PDB file of all heavy atoms in Angstrom:
ATOM      1  N   ALA S  41     -13.877  11.494  27.266  1.00 92.00           N
ATOM      2  CA  ALA S  41     -12.852  10.749  28.028  1.00 92.00           C
ATOM      3  C   ALA S  41     -13.154  10.906  29.528  1.00 92.00           C
ATOM      4  O   ALA S  41     -13.784  11.891  29.919  1.00 92.00           O
ATOM      5  CB  ALA S  41     -11.464  11.309  27.715  1.00 92.00           C
ATOM      6  N   PRO S  42     -12.709   9.987  30.370  1.00 92.00           N
ATOM      7  CA  PRO S  42     -11.989   8.774  30.010  1.00 92.00           C
ATOM      8  C   PRO S  42     -12.920   7.666  29.520  1.00 92.00           C
ATOM      9  O   PRO S  42     -14.074   7.607  29.892  1.00 92.00           O
ATOM     10  CB  PRO S  42     -11.299   8.378  31.306  1.00 92.00           C
ATOM     11  CG  PRO S  42     -12.085   9.004  32.408  1.00 92.00           C
ATOM     12  CD  PRO S  42     -12.755  10.210  31.838  1.00 92.00           C
ATOM     13  N   TYR S  43     -12.374   6.816  28.670  1.00 93.00           N
ATOM     14  CA  TYR S  43     -13.110   5.660  28.149  1.00 93.00           C
ATOM     15  C   TYR S  43     -13.007   4.449  29.094  1.00 93.00           C
ATOM     16  O   TYR S  43     -13.765   3.500  28.967  1.00 93.00           O
ATOM     17  CB  TYR S  43     -12.525   5.224  26.790  1.00 93.00           C
ATOM     18  CG  TYR S  43     -13.005   5.988  25.569  1.00 93.00           C
ATOM     19  CD1 TYR S  43     -13.822   7.103  25.659  1.00 93.00           C
ATOM     20  CD2 TYR S  43     -12.625   5.555  24.291  1.00 93.00           C
ATOM     21  CE1 TYR S  43     -14.241   7.784  24.515  1.00 93.00           C
ATOM     22  CE2 TYR S  43     -13.048   6.212  23.152  1.00 93.00           C
ATOM     23  CZ  TYR S  43     -13.855   7.333  23.265  1.00 93.00           C
ATOM     24  OH  TYR S  43     -14.263   7.982  22.128  1.00 93.00           O
ATOM     25  N   GLY S  44     -12.013   4.482  29.976  1.00 89.00           N
ATOM     26  CA  GLY S  44     -11.661   3.285  30.755  1.00 89.00           C
ATOM     27  C   GLY S  44     -12.775   2.707  31.608  1.00 89.00           C
ATOM     28  O   GLY S  44     -12.792   1.516  31.889  1.00 89.00           O
ATOM     29  N   GLY S  45     -13.737   3.537  32.026  1.00 87.00           N
ATOM     30  CA  GLY S  45     -14.841   3.025  32.843  1.00 87.00           C
ATOM     31  C   GLY S  45     -16.146   2.949  32.072  1.00 87.00           C
ATOM     32  O   GLY S  45     -17.210   2.727  32.651  1.00 87.00           O
ATOM     33  N   ARG S  46     -16.097   3.168  30.756  1.00 94.00           N
ATOM     34  CA  ARG S  46     -17.313   3.193  29.916  1.00 94.00           C
ATOM     35  C   ARG S  46     -17.847   1.794  29.638  1.00 94.00           C
ATOM     36  O   ARG S  46     -17.075   0.833  29.559  1.00 94.00           O
ATOM     37  CB  ARG S  46     -16.992   3.834  28.561  1.00 94.00           C
ATOM     38  CG  ARG S  46     -16.654   5.304  28.646  1.00 94.00           C
ATOM     39  CD  ARG S  46     -17.895   6.117  28.592  1.00 94.00           C
ATOM     40  NE  ARG S  46     -17.615   7.538  28.469  1.00 94.00           N
ATOM     41  CZ  ARG S  46     -18.583   8.456  28.500  1.00 94.00           C
ATOM     42  NH1 ARG S  46     -19.838   8.106  28.640  1.00 94.00           N
ATOM     43  NH2 ARG S  46     -18.280   9.725  28.393  1.00 94.00           N
ATOM     44  N   ARG S  47     -19.162   1.709  29.423  1.00 94.00           N
ATOM     45  CA  ARG S  47     -19.764   0.420  29.059  1.00 94.00           C
ATOM     46  C   ARG S  47     -19.401   0.082  27.612  1.00 94.00           C
ATOM     47  O   ARG S  47     -19.251   0.992  26.782  1.00 94.00           O
ATOM     48  CB  ARG S  47     -21.293   0.497  29.197  1.00 94.00           C
ATOM     49  CG  ARG S  47     -21.767   0.508  30.653  1.00 94.00           C
ATOM     50  CD  ARG S  47     -23.272   0.585  30.761  1.00 94.00           C
ATOM     51  NE  ARG S  47     -23.765   1.886  30.309  1.00 94.00           N
ATOM     52  CZ  ARG S  47     -24.528   2.078  29.246  1.00 94.00           C
ATOM     53  NH1 ARG S  47     -24.900   1.060  28.499  1.00 94.00           N
ATOM     54  NH2 ARG S  47     -24.913   3.289  28.908  1.00 94.00           N
ATOM     55  N   PRO S  48     -19.303  -1.220  27.278  1.00 96.00           N
ATOM     56  CA  PRO S  48     -18.956  -1.605  25.903  1.00 96.00           C
ATOM     57  C   PRO S  48     -19.891  -0.985  24.856  1.00 96.00           C
ATOM     58  O   PRO S  48     -19.426  -0.563  23.796  1.00 96.00           O
ATOM     59  CB  PRO S  48     -19.086  -3.139  25.922  1.00 96.00           C
ATOM     60  CG  PRO S  48     -18.913  -3.523  27.346  1.00 96.00           C
ATOM     61  CD  PRO S  48     -19.405  -2.379  28.179  1.00 96.00           C
ATOM     62  N   GLU S  49     -21.198  -0.893  25.161  1.00 97.00           N
ATOM     63  CA  GLU S  49     -22.148  -0.326  24.173  1.00 97.00           C
ATOM     64  C   GLU S  49     -21.777   1.118  23.849  1.00 97.00           C
ATOM     65  O   GLU S  49     -21.906   1.568  22.711  1.00 97.00           O
ATOM     66  CB  GLU S  49     -23.599  -0.341  24.693  1.00 97.00           C
ATOM     67  CG  GLU S  49     -24.105  -1.684  25.156  1.00 97.00           C
ATOM     68  CD  GLU S  49     -23.666  -2.014  26.579  1.00 97.00           C
ATOM     69  OE1 GLU S  49     -24.153  -1.394  27.534  1.00 97.00           O
ATOM     70  OE2 GLU S  49     -22.788  -2.882  26.717  1.00 97.00           O
ATOM     71  N   GLU S  50     -21.352   1.853  24.874  1.00 97.00           N
ATOM     72  CA  GLU S  50     -20.962   3.248  24.628  1.00 97.00           C
ATOM     73  C   GLU S  50     -19.720   3.300  23.749  1.00 97.00           C
ATOM     74  O   GLU S  50     -19.631   4.092  22.807  1.00 97.00           O
ATOM     75  CB  GLU S  50     -20.637   3.948  25.955  1.00 97.00           C
ATOM     76  CG  GLU S  50     -21.804   4.194  26.849  1.00 97.00           C
ATOM     77  CD  GLU S  50     -21.351   4.846  28.164  1.00 97.00           C
ATOM     78  OE1 GLU S  50     -20.604   4.194  28.939  1.00 97.00           O
ATOM     79  OE2 GLU S  50     -21.750   5.990  28.397  1.00 97.00           O
ATOM     80  N   LEU S  51     -18.762   2.421  24.055  1.00 98.00           N
ATOM     81  CA  LEU S  51     -17.513   2.425  23.279  1.00 98.00           C
ATOM     82  C   LEU S  51     -17.777   2.044  21.826  1.00 98.00           C
ATOM     83  O   LEU S  51     -17.149   2.595  20.910  1.00 98.00           O
ATOM     84  CB  LEU S  51     -16.486   1.467  23.906  1.00 98.00           C
ATOM     85  CG  LEU S  51     -15.986   1.852  25.303  1.00 98.00           C
ATOM     86  CD1 LEU S  51     -15.031   0.796  25.838  1.00 98.00           C
ATOM     87  CD2 LEU S  51     -15.298   3.217  25.275  1.00 98.00           C
ATOM     88  N   VAL S  52     -18.730   1.130  21.599  1.00 98.00           N
ATOM     89  CA  VAL S  52     -19.075   0.739  20.229  1.00 98.00           C
ATOM     90  C   VAL S  52     -19.658   1.954  19.497  1.00 98.00           C
ATOM     91  O   VAL S  52     -19.263   2.265  18.359  1.00 98.00           O
ATOM     92  CB  VAL S  52     -20.084  -0.440  20.224  1.00 98.00           C
ATOM     93  CG1 VAL S  52     -20.696  -0.642  18.849  1.00 98.00           C
ATOM     94  CG2 VAL S  52     -19.383  -1.727  20.687  1.00 98.00           C
ATOM     95  N   GLN S  53     -20.567   2.648  20.167  1.00 98.00           N
ATOM     96  CA  GLN S  53     -21.200   3.821  19.527  1.00 98.00           C
ATOM     97  C   GLN S  53     -20.160   4.918  19.219  1.00 98.00           C
ATOM     98  O   GLN S  53     -20.114   5.462  18.112  1.00 98.00           O
ATOM     99  CB  GLN S  53     -22.284   4.368  20.449  1.00 98.00           C
ATOM    100  CG  GLN S  53     -23.077   5.525  19.864  1.00 98.00           C
ATOM    101  CD  GLN S  53     -23.713   6.376  20.951  1.00 98.00           C
ATOM    102  OE1 GLN S  53     -24.153   5.850  21.982  1.00 98.00           O
ATOM    103  NE2 GLN S  53     -23.748   7.686  20.749  1.00 98.00           N
ATOM    104  N   PHE S  54     -19.299   5.215  20.194  1.00 98.00           N
ATOM    105  CA  PHE S  54     -18.290   6.265  19.977  1.00 98.00           C
ATOM    106  C   PHE S  54     -17.345   5.864  18.833  1.00 98.00           C
ATOM    107  O   PHE S  54     -16.984   6.686  17.982  1.00 98.00           O
ATOM    108  CB  PHE S  54     -17.462   6.516  21.240  1.00 98.00           C
ATOM    109  CG  PHE S  54     -18.244   6.962  22.453  1.00 98.00           C
ATOM    110  CD1 PHE S  54     -17.674   6.903  23.725  1.00 98.00           C
ATOM    111  CD2 PHE S  54     -19.542   7.443  22.347  1.00 98.00           C
ATOM    112  CE1 PHE S  54     -18.373   7.307  24.852  1.00 98.00           C
ATOM    113  CE2 PHE S  54     -20.268   7.842  23.477  1.00 98.00           C
ATOM    114  CZ  PHE S  54     -19.665   7.765  24.730  1.00 98.00           C
ATOM    115  N   SER S  55     -16.943   4.592  18.846  1.00 98.00           N
ATOM    116  CA  SER S  55     -16.006   4.138  17.801  1.00 98.00           C
ATOM    117  C   SER S  55     -16.644   4.279  16.425  1.00 98.00           C
ATOM    118  O   SER S  55     -15.978   4.696  15.465  1.00 98.00           O
ATOM    119  CB  SER S  55     -15.611   2.674  18.020  1.00 98.00           C
ATOM    120  OG  SER S  55     -15.003   2.511  19.259  1.00 98.00           O
ATOM    121  N   ARG S  56     -17.936   3.927  16.347  1.00 98.00           N
ATOM    122  CA  ARG S  56     -18.605   4.003  15.036  1.00 98.00           C
ATOM    123  C   ARG S  56     -18.610   5.451  14.531  1.00 98.00           C
ATOM    124  O   ARG S  56     -18.304   5.721  13.368  1.00 98.00           O
ATOM    125  CB  ARG S  56     -20.026   3.445  15.138  1.00 98.00           C
ATOM    126  CG  ARG S  56     -20.741   3.407  13.803  1.00 98.00           C
ATOM    127  CD  ARG S  56     -22.007   2.582  13.807  1.00 98.00           C
ATOM    128  NE  ARG S  56     -21.777   1.163  13.931  1.00 98.00           N
ATOM    129  CZ  ARG S  56     -22.211   0.401  14.944  1.00 98.00           C
ATOM    130  NH1 ARG S  56     -22.894   0.943  15.921  1.00 98.00           N
ATOM    131  NH2 ARG S  56     -21.957  -0.887  14.971  1.00 98.00           N
ATOM    132  N   GLU S  57     -18.941   6.371  15.431  1.00 98.00           N
ATOM    133  CA  GLU S  57     -18.986   7.794  15.033  1.00 98.00           C
ATOM    134  C   GLU S  57     -17.611   8.273  14.562  1.00 98.00           C
ATOM    135  O   GLU S  57     -17.482   8.970  13.556  1.00 98.00           O
ATOM    136  CB  GLU S  57     -19.450   8.657  16.219  1.00 98.00           C
ATOM    137  CG  GLU S  57     -20.908   8.452  16.570  1.00 98.00           C
ATOM    138  CD  GLU S  57     -21.290   9.093  17.895  1.00 98.00           C
ATOM    139  OE1 GLU S  57     -20.438   9.796  18.514  1.00 98.00           O
ATOM    140  OE2 GLU S  57     -22.434   8.881  18.323  1.00 98.00           O
ATOM    141  N   ILE S  58     -16.594   7.869  15.307  1.00 98.00           N
ATOM    142  CA  ILE S  58     -15.242   8.345  14.964  1.00 98.00           C
ATOM    143  C   ILE S  58     -14.762   7.708  13.656  1.00 98.00           C
ATOM    144  O   ILE S  58     -14.183   8.382  12.791  1.00 98.00           O
ATOM    145  CB  ILE S  58     -14.253   8.047  16.120  1.00 98.00           C
ATOM    146  CG1 ILE S  58     -14.664   8.811  17.378  1.00 98.00           C
ATOM    147  CG2 ILE S  58     -12.827   8.422  15.711  1.00 98.00           C
ATOM    148  CD1 ILE S  58     -13.927   8.379  18.649  1.00 98.00           C
ATOM    149  N   ILE S  59     -15.032   6.426  13.506  1.00 98.00           N
ATOM    150  CA  ILE S  59     -14.584   5.743  12.276  1.00 98.00           C
ATOM    151  C   ILE S  59     -15.317   6.311  11.064  1.00 98.00           C
ATOM    152  O   ILE S  59     -14.708   6.515  10.000  1.00 98.00           O
ATOM    153  CB  ILE S  59     -14.746   4.211  12.423  1.00 98.00           C
ATOM    154  CG1 ILE S  59     -13.666   3.689  13.391  1.00 98.00           C
ATOM    155  CG2 ILE S  59     -14.634   3.499  11.078  1.00 98.00           C
ATOM    156  CD1 ILE S  59     -13.755   2.225  13.731  1.00 98.00           C
ATOM    157  N   ASP S  60     -16.605   6.632  11.210  1.00 98.00           N
ATOM    158  CA  ASP S  60     -17.333   7.268  10.095  1.00 98.00           C
ATOM    159  C   ASP S  60     -16.659   8.595   9.725  1.00 98.00           C
ATOM    160  O   ASP S  60     -16.479   8.918   8.553  1.00 98.00           O
ATOM    161  CB  ASP S  60     -18.804   7.524  10.466  1.00 98.00           C
ATOM    162  CG  ASP S  60     -19.617   6.240  10.430  1.00 98.00           C
ATOM    163  OD1 ASP S  60     -19.094   5.218   9.939  1.00 98.00           O
ATOM    164  OD2 ASP S  60     -20.771   6.250  10.919  1.00 98.00           O
ATOM    165  N   PHE S  61     -16.294   9.352  10.749  1.00 98.00           N
ATOM    166  CA  PHE S  61     -15.619  10.628  10.493  1.00 98.00           C
ATOM    167  C   PHE S  61     -14.285  10.406   9.766  1.00 98.00           C
ATOM    168  O   PHE S  61     -13.976  11.074   8.768  1.00 98.00           O
ATOM    169  CB  PHE S  61     -15.395  11.378  11.813  1.00 98.00           C
ATOM    170  CG  PHE S  61     -14.509  12.573  11.672  1.00 98.00           C
ATOM    171  CD1 PHE S  61     -14.945  13.715  11.003  1.00 98.00           C
ATOM    172  CD2 PHE S  61     -13.207  12.561  12.178  1.00 98.00           C
ATOM    173  CE1 PHE S  61     -14.109  14.812  10.840  1.00 98.00           C
ATOM    174  CE2 PHE S  61     -12.370  13.653  12.021  1.00 98.00           C
ATOM    175  CZ  PHE S  61     -12.821  14.780  11.350  1.00 98.00           C
ATOM    176  N   LEU S  62     -13.515   9.427  10.233  1.00 98.00           N
ATOM    177  CA  LEU S  62     -12.200   9.182   9.605  1.00 98.00           C
ATOM    178  C   LEU S  62     -12.369   8.645   8.183  1.00 98.00           C
ATOM    179  O   LEU S  62     -11.586   8.987   7.292  1.00 98.00           O
ATOM    180  CB  LEU S  62     -11.364   8.233  10.473  1.00 98.00           C
ATOM    181  CG  LEU S  62     -10.924   8.832  11.827  1.00 98.00           C
ATOM    182  CD1 LEU S  62     -10.272   7.777  12.709  1.00 98.00           C
ATOM    183  CD2 LEU S  62      -9.965  10.015  11.619  1.00 98.00           C
ATOM    184  N   HIS S  63     -13.420   7.854   7.940  1.00 98.00           N
ATOM    185  CA  HIS S  63     -13.710   7.432   6.554  1.00 98.00           C
ATOM    186  C   HIS S  63     -13.972   8.652   5.674  1.00 98.00           C
ATOM    187  O   HIS S  63     -13.564   8.689   4.506  1.00 98.00           O
ATOM    188  CB  HIS S  63     -14.944   6.527   6.508  1.00 98.00           C
ATOM    189  CG  HIS S  63     -14.673   5.105   6.917  1.00 98.00           C
ATOM    190  ND1 HIS S  63     -15.633   4.280   7.451  1.00 98.00           N
ATOM    191  CD2 HIS S  63     -13.542   4.357   6.883  1.00 98.00           C
ATOM    192  CE1 HIS S  63     -15.111   3.087   7.708  1.00 98.00           C
ATOM    193  NE2 HIS S  63     -13.842   3.117   7.380  1.00 98.00           N
ATOM    194  N   SER S  64     -14.641   9.646   6.231  1.00 98.00           N
ATOM    195  CA  SER S  64     -14.941  10.851   5.433  1.00 98.00           C
ATOM    196  C   SER S  64     -13.652  11.585   5.053  1.00 98.00           C
ATOM    197  O   SER S  64     -13.649  12.432   4.163  1.00 98.00           O
ATOM    198  CB  SER S  64     -15.899  11.790   6.173  1.00 98.00           C
ATOM    199  OG  SER S  64     -15.198  12.515   7.166  1.00 98.00           O
ATOM    200  N   LYS S  65     -12.567  11.267   5.746  1.00 97.00           N
ATOM    201  CA  LYS S  65     -11.253  11.847   5.425  1.00 97.00           C
ATOM    202  C   LYS S  65     -10.462  10.942   4.479  1.00 97.00           C
ATOM    203  O   LYS S  65      -9.265  11.141   4.276  1.00 97.00           O
ATOM    204  CB  LYS S  65     -10.445  12.064   6.714  1.00 97.00           C
ATOM    205  CG  LYS S  65     -11.059  13.086   7.633  1.00 97.00           C
ATOM    206  CD  LYS S  65     -10.749  14.460   7.105  1.00 97.00           C
ATOM    207  CE  LYS S  65     -11.535  15.527   7.806  1.00 97.00           C
ATOM    208  NZ  LYS S  65     -11.334  16.842   7.188  1.00 97.00           N
ATOM    209  N   ASN S  66     -11.132   9.899   3.971  1.00 97.00           N
ATOM    210  CA  ASN S  66     -10.541   9.027   2.949  1.00 97.00           C
ATOM    211  C   ASN S  66      -9.285   8.290   3.440  1.00 97.00           C
ATOM    212  O   ASN S  66      -8.300   8.160   2.702  1.00 97.00           O
ATOM    213  CB  ASN S  66     -10.218   9.860   1.698  1.00 97.00           C
ATOM    214  CG  ASN S  66      -9.947   8.979   0.496  1.00 97.00           C
ATOM    215  OD1 ASN S  66     -10.442   7.856   0.424  1.00 97.00           O
ATOM    216  ND2 ASN S  66      -9.136   9.475  -0.437  1.00 97.00           N
ATOM    217  N   VAL S  67      -9.339   7.803   4.680  1.00 98.00           N
ATOM    218  CA  VAL S  67      -8.155   7.121   5.216  1.00 98.00           C
ATOM    219  C   VAL S  67      -7.956   5.762   4.533  1.00 98.00           C
ATOM    220  O   VAL S  67      -8.911   5.092   4.140  1.00 98.00           O
ATOM    221  CB  VAL S  67      -8.252   6.928   6.750  1.00 98.00           C
ATOM    222  CG1 VAL S  67      -8.232   8.271   7.462  1.00 98.00           C
ATOM    223  CG2 VAL S  67      -9.470   6.114   7.156  1.00 98.00           C
ATOM    224  N   ALA S  68      -6.683   5.365   4.418  1.00 97.00           N
ATOM    225  CA  ALA S  68      -6.344   4.080   3.777  1.00 97.00           C
ATOM    226  C   ALA S  68      -6.197   2.971   4.807  1.00 97.00           C
ATOM    227  O   ALA S  68      -6.226   1.789   4.455  1.00 97.00           O
ATOM    228  CB  ALA S  68      -5.036   4.229   3.008  1.00 97.00           C
TER     229      ALA S  68
END
Side-chain angles (χ1 to χ4, degrees):
Y43 277 6
R46 293 274 189 185
R47 287 180 292 115
E49 306 82 70
E50 291 178 295
L51 295 177
V52 167
Q53 184 203 324
F54 300 164
S55 300
R56 184 167 290 118
E57 290 169 5
I58 297 168
I59 287 175
D60 284 350
F61 170 71
L62 292 172
H63 281 154
S64 78
K65 295 282 169 186
N66 195 26
V67 294

